[in-house]
DNA sequence: TAACTACCAGAGCGCCGCTCTCGTTTCGAT
DNA sequence: ATCGAAACGAGAGCGGCGCTCTGGTAGTTA
């Protein structure tokens, strides 16, 4: 009962979010649409920020699941196909849910600090991407191009942590490239979504494909 | 007189923005601090959005100028040094003005659409970066690594436009790499600023340096 | 039956962006 | 010097916001 109502609230909030964006989200409007009064919402979520937190967690899980499904649909030994599929899944999800994407990867909502509960779902997407590269490395398919700089020594502890959690047996250099590639990938999606490509790039799908290919090659996938 | 007061308003607004972020910006609070009543502000800026537009233009010009100065301080034929200087200038400015950076490169403010006046200052930073690569190409120093995919044919018109404006005589492939590198660079800055590197990367300056080097190599600068 | 709990409605507080009116000041043209 | 227009700031007010507090009601347990 209570869980159902909480779900119904987040559903309505998600609809409002999709239409108006995070900052335009009005708790009162949501309550109106549900035939309630605004104060009733507070029985379920103690504040607007907690509602946002729930949406953020849902968002990370949604994009994570989309990426996982895209990955699962590929033959596991075709790492390049998995790389493409997951990369495009991220972009497709972002284009389909721009405001939710902005909530996850855009400027943080002011006065809002992400609670601990969000970090686990947040990693979900990255874990898949790292898994692809990890698998490619373990099957000996990975061939990172030379001529690129190695990471600093100060990166070693971070690399150790990442390696331990998602990329077993990968050298620091590949992990560093993967971090760079990951941030670059999302950066390109954000650029497109946030309008930085307006009046500059017309065929954005093609450019993203080019970027995805390049980043894949950079971390060691075949061209 | 009028211009002075408008400047004073934007100064106060900038201070508030730096402290509270864009969404927390209150026109009334700004008016209070200036000893005015909120309605008086509307004599100078017809709406809160117009005030934001002024701030956005200022922000693009500020980061653009910082990058231009960093570039000018380098010997013009040391393209790698210029690449580093400009790249770090972007990151340094972003770290020093996180909320303004978010206003420029973060999620767009809901209901707000960027007017024409912003696009010219917005390109300023990118123009410098492109100029570095353009100079490197014209002196024959540019050596883009092979093994990376070429851009799609659909990119040709966009490339022509970019070439005409800021990167004369550069082949489409380099221009495409430059676009990717540009978005990737900002993506890495955004990742750091927006908290995506929390609990993951400790020495973020070193990682950014690594990324900057890699992207420079990718577009054709020496390693 | 009585006590307790979960729940929702309503009023209200202080904030917000924005509009409108009204008295004052400033300033250029006559 | 005078007059009229424009610019300006103060104040009140509108509707909306997040959030709190108080009460009343339905359902459950003892």
């Amino acid at each position: 009962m209570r869980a159902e109502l909480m779900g119904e609230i987040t559903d309505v909030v998600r609809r409002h979010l999709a239409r108006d964006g995070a900052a335009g989200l009005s708790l009162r409007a949501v309550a109106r649409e549900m035939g309630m009064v605004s104060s009733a919402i507070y029985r379920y979520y103690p504040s607007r920020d907690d509602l946002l937190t729930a949406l953020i967690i849902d968002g990370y899980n949604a994009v994570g699941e989309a990426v996982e499904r895209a990955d699962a649909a590929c033959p596991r030994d075709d790492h390049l196909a998995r790389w493409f599929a997951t990369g495009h899944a991220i972009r497709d999800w972002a284009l389909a849910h721009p405001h939710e994407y902005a909530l996850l990867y855009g400027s943080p909502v002011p006065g809002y600090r992400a609670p601990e509960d969000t970090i686990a779902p947040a990693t979900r997407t990255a874990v898949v991407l790292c898994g692809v590269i990890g698998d490619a490395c373990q099957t000996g398919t990975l061939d990172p191009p030379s001529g690129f700089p190695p990471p600093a020594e100060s990166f070693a502890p971070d690399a150790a942590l990442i390696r331990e959690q998602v990329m077993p047996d990968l050298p620091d250099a590949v992990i560093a490239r993967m971090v760079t590639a990951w941030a670059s990938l999302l950066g390109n999606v954000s650029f497109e979504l946030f309008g930085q490509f307006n009046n500059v790039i017309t065929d954005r799908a093609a450019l993203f494909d080019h970027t995805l290919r390049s980043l894949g090659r950079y971390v060691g996938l075949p061209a």
Side-chain angles (χ1 to χ4, degrees), chain A residues 120-135:
Chain A
T123 59
R124 201 167 151 180
T125 310
V127 165
V128 179
L129 270 285
C130 289
V132 173
I133 302 304
D135 289 356

Side-chain angles (χ1 to χ4, degrees), chain A residues 67-130:
Chain A
V67 171
E68 285 167 6
R69 266 190 286 106
D71 182 37
C74 298
R76 277 194 77 71
D77 58 346
D78 190 349
H79 308 111
L80 188 57
R82 290 170 65 191
W83 179 260
F84 278 131
T86 50
H88 280 290
I90 294 174
R91 175 171 176 268
D92 291 344
W93 187 89
L95 289 178
H97 310 85
H99 286 117
E100 283 185 75
Y101 176 86
L103 198 58
L104 305 183
Y105 296 105
S107 359
V109 183
Y112 174 84
R113 56 147 199 53
E116 303 297 322
D117 323 17
T118 62
I119 60 177
T123 59
R124 201 167 151 180
T125 310
V127 165
V128 179
L129 270 285
C130 289

Side-chain angles (χ1 to χ4, degrees), chain A residues 150-196:
Chain A
E153 301 92 4
S154 63
F155 181 67
D158 299 336
L161 205 68
I162 298 173
R163 176 166 36 235
E164 170 190 334
Q165 295 187 347
V166 291
M167 303 181 89
D169 304 324
L170 259 68
D172 283 15
V174 173
I175 296 179
R177 292 196 191 191
M178 187 58 213
V179 173
T180 293
W182 172 239
S184 299
L185 198 65
L186 273 295
N188 277 267
V189 173
S190 295
F191 248 51
E192 177 177 354
L193 241 76
F194 297 164
Q196 302 285 344

